[in-house]
Amino acid sequence: MSETNDEVSDTTAFRIARLLYGGVLILTGISGFRNVDAQSGYAESKGIPKPELSVVASHWLLLVGGVGISLWRYPALAASSVVAFFVGVTPTIHDFWSHEGQQRQNERNHFLKNAALAGAALAFLGIGERKK
């Protein structure tokens, strides 16, 4: 039995999933804007060029993506912005292979969390691409 894209995106479970996922992205984006100095310092310590600009731009990706996924407006564009965030941030900021001990474990946990969130964004992207 195959459901159409509209049938999937119109279910209560899908709406709740969008709101939960998008809400987390929105809150994370807002948090990033509130902590630009601290996050820029961390980004600079990781060798990120133009750390303040990079932090602000990356959190815009999360905010726009989170709003778009939550409201299911321009879903492919919204999910693409989230994928772009995770593809850019995850290997550069959470480079667990460069650390030892507890810091390695912490970075690996963040890396894996981001990988799972990127996977969810890719799932939303796949559904969003079919919505035309």
Side-chain angles (χ1 to χ4, degrees), residues 3-132:
E3 294 182 277
T4 67
N5 187 49
D6 287 338
E7 289 171 336
V8 170
S9 63
D10 198 33
T11 64
T12 300
F14 190 75
R15 286 186 197 126
I16 292 169
R18 287 188 352 244
L19 291 172
L20 288 171
Y21 186 73
V24 167
L25 298 174
I26 291 166
L27 291 174
T28 303
I30 291 169
S31 175
F33 292 132
R34 289 183 173 165
N35 299 298
V36 171
D37 289 340
Q39 292 204 3
S40 296
Y42 191 64
E44 186 173 30
S45 78
K46 296 285 189 162
I48 304 301
K50 300 186 180 182
E52 187 171 329
L53 177 62
S54 296
V55 166
V56 170
S58 66
H59 285 87
W60 271 113
L61 290 172
L62 281 182
L63 186 61
V64 168
V67 169
I69 288 170
S70 293
L71 299 176
W72 207 236
R73 299 293 180 253
Y74 305 102
L77 180 63
S80 293
S81 80
V82 176
V83 170
F85 172 85
F86 286 116
V87 166
V89 168
T90 303
T92 57
I93 297 297
H94 301 300
D95 56 342
F96 66 89
W97 52 88
S98 300
H99 302 283
E100 297 295 328
Q102 187 60 44
Q103 187 175 4
R104 181 184 187 105
Q105 184 62 46
N106 289 342
E107 292 295 350
R108 184 180 6 218
N109 289 344
H110 287 296
F111 184 96
L112 293 173
K113 170 198 49 109
N114 282 8
L117 290 168
L122 287 168
F124 283 118
L125 176 59
I127 294 168
E129 284 179 333
R130 294 186 345 212
K131 182 184 180 189
K132 297 197 185 224

